[in-house]
Amino acid sequence: MQQFKEYTGSVYGGLGHLLMCYYQAKKLPIPEKLHQIQNLERFDYALWRDLLSTLEQQLPQPALGLEIAKYVQPKHLGIIAYLALSCDHLGEALQRYHDFHRLIYDGGPLQVEAQNDYLSIRWSELPVHMTTQLTDEIAIALMMEFLKHFMQFEDICLHEVHFHHPAPKNIALYEQYFHCKVRFSQPITQVLLPVSELAKPFHQGDQTLQHLLLQQAQALLEKLPNSTRTDQRLQQAILTGLQKNMYQIEHIAQQLHISVRQLQRHLQQQGTTYQKRMQEVRCLLAEQYLQDPHLSLQEIALLLGYSEQSAFQRAFKQWTQHTPQQWRMQRAS
């Protein structure tokens, strides 16, 4: 492990759970190192690479990374799964993935660049000893599975997928998975996506997280003395606005197709203000996010629209008389 010391990247703890799910599904002996990271918010990228190499030795098969990625669930992706709920189309989701992907998989900076009619999505090159075919393919497959939770996979028409490492024995497995031409021994690892795909809308089905947020909205509505359709729309607008970091009253009023003054008057009639209503939403969401053991306080702060973790901690103490850490520990016990 000495050769990895110069690299300090890390991966989201949920990926340790993903790997555990795969081991259990395949009924394989679970390495002690995998047991040890199950309660960590993050762990070293070098350890992730080491765990994947160990699995590859236990279960040598082509396209192993694609198989592992098929077991991913929103809970394994943390903050990005929550943020993606507010996305309307593929382009917006990819932008979110670009902005926050290192919170999940810090295996190298993600770069997105237009190349004529295609969008190149690629990972900056790491030292040769830090990457393998398995680390590269699982990075791409995780991104594709992330999109699969919000769109029908067959609807995403990739142009080509390139891998830097030499071709394995069964290239057909990769082309069946990605539904496009897959090339190996290429200068860089990348996904080429037609620009025309970016406008494709998401299919908003009965997603677990979306249902969760709607439950939170309903819980808030039940506390209101005179719930109206405007209140229902306001709650949902604030929820999605927080996820998009566009929750200012001017933006929310625009979403409701009313003026800021009309919105303020409506809330005044209920004896409250926009700031108080937004803080109510933030408080309930904060309690929900804190129940996810893999979300760090920094990530929760981002989800709630705070630029600094300290601002979130101060606000939570005002709402509940407890710090987020105290609330989380009490809930766990």
Side-chain angles (χ1 to χ4, degrees):
M1 297 296 288
Q2 296 294 319
Q3 63 201 39
F4 299 142
K5 281 193 173 181
E6 74 277 8
Y7 187 72
T8 57
S10 62
V11 298
Y12 180 59
L15 294 188
H17 276 229
L18 168 63
L19 207 55
M20 178 67 80
C21 287
Y22 187 78
Y23 264 94
Q24 291 172 339
K26 298 299 180 181
K27 295 181 171 55
L28 294 170
I30 300 172
E32 182 58 31
K33 288 181 179 179
L34 183 56
H35 277 298
Q36 292 172 354
I37 63 171
Q38 291 305 299
N39 294 319
L40 298 181
E41 288 184 353
R42 304 192 69 79
F43 58 92
D44 288 348
Y45 171 81
L47 179 55
W48 171 246
R49 178 191 183 280
D50 190 37
L51 286 168
L52 290 177
S53 296
T54 298
L55 174 57
E56 196 169 29
Q57 293 170 6
Q58 291 177 266
L59 192 66
Q61 66 177 56
L64 178 58
L66 309 186
E67 286 298 316
I68 297 171
K70 289 178 181 178
Y71 286 79
V72 75
Q73 299 174 34
K75 66 181 181 182
H76 297 136
L77 301 179
I79 187 173
I80 289 187
Y82 286 95
L83 288 168
L85 291 172
S86 61
C87 297
D88 297 320
H89 48 74
L90 178 58
E92 189 177 358
L94 284 175
Q95 182 62 53
R96 284 296 195 180
Y97 199 87
H98 173 265
D99 291 343
F100 292 101
H101 82 282
R102 292 188 72 178
L103 294 176
I104 295 179
Y105 191 88
D106 187 17
L110 185 70
Q111 297 183 351
V112 180
E113 181 181 277
Q115 295 182 0
N116 299 321
D117 295 331
Y118 303 104
L119 199 69
S120 168
I121 305 169
R122 63 183 185 273
W123 283 260
S124 295
E125 187 174 350
L126 288 174
V128 175
H129 66 268
M130 285 301 299
T131 65
T132 64
Q133 174 59 31
L134 184 53
T135 62
D136 283 352
E137 70 185 49
I138 200 169
I140 293 179
L142 281 173
M143 181 180 69
M144 299 309 299
E145 292 293 334
F146 156 74
L147 296 172
K148 186 177 180 179
H149 280 288
F150 302 97
M151 293 180 70
Q152 294 294 324
F153 184 73
E154 290 75 17
D155 288 347
I156 306 174
C157 300
L158 303 180
H159 174 61
E160 287 185 358
V161 173
H162 295 177
F163 287 107
H164 176 67
H165 294 276
K169 293 181 179 179
N170 196 339
I171 297 177
L173 291 176
Y174 294 86
E175 297 190 337
Q176 289 168 8
Y177 180 88
F178 291 111
H179 302 286
C180 69
K181 181 69 176 178
V182 179
R183 302 181 186 276
F184 293 84
S185 299
Q186 298 298 302
I188 58 174
T189 295
Q190 66 176 340
V191 174
L192 293 175
L193 177 76
V195 173
S196 58
E197 292 291 294
L198 298 181
K200 282 192 171 179
F202 280 124
H203 300 295
Q204 295 293 337
D206 56 340
Q207 300 296 335
T208 302
L209 295 175
Q210 184 68 24
H211 180 64
L212 176 69
L213 295 181
L214 289 174
Q215 282 183 323
Q216 296 302 315
Q218 187 60 41
L220 283 171
L221 288 173
E222 290 173 359
K223 294 182 179 181
L224 298 178
N226 297 297
S227 178
T228 67
R229 182 170 177 78
T230 299
D231 292 309
Q232 294 174 355
R233 293 172 58 219
L234 174 60
Q235 303 297 80
Q236 192 61 36
I238 293 175
L239 285 167
T240 56
L242 284 169
Q243 290 176 298
K244 293 186 178 185
N245 200 26
M246 298 174 67
Y247 55 85
Q248 295 75 13
I249 190 171
E250 294 80 7
H251 176 76
I252 298 299
Q254 185 179 24
Q255 296 298 306
L256 299 177
H257 305 292
I258 59 178
S259 68
V260 171
R261 183 66 192 127
Q262 285 175 303
L263 177 54
Q264 289 173 330
R265 192 181 304 118
H266 171 79
L267 292 171
Q268 188 177 24
Q269 290 171 352
Q270 296 195 353
T272 189
T273 65
Y274 176 73
Q275 186 66 20
K276 288 180 180 178
R277 183 58 51 79
M278 184 181 64
Q279 296 297 63
E280 289 175 347
V281 176
R282 273 177 159 166
C283 181
L284 279 178
L285 284 179
E287 290 179 349
Q288 186 62 58
Y289 295 145
L290 284 167
Q291 292 180 53
D292 185 337
H294 290 299
L295 282 179
S296 69
L297 297 187
Q298 177 191 1
E299 291 168 332
I300 294 173
L302 287 172
L303 284 168
L304 297 174
Y306 292 102
S307 57
E308 299 290 338
Q309 178 181 323
S310 57
F312 160 57
Q313 290 177 299
R314 286 194 300 271
F316 193 84
K317 183 72 179 290
Q318 291 177 341
W319 300 333
T320 67
Q321 314 307 313
H322 296 92
T323 67
Q325 297 96 322
Q326 290 170 339
W327 192 95
R328 179 173 260 174
M329 289 176 64
Q330 288 178 356
R331 186 78 180 187
S333 61

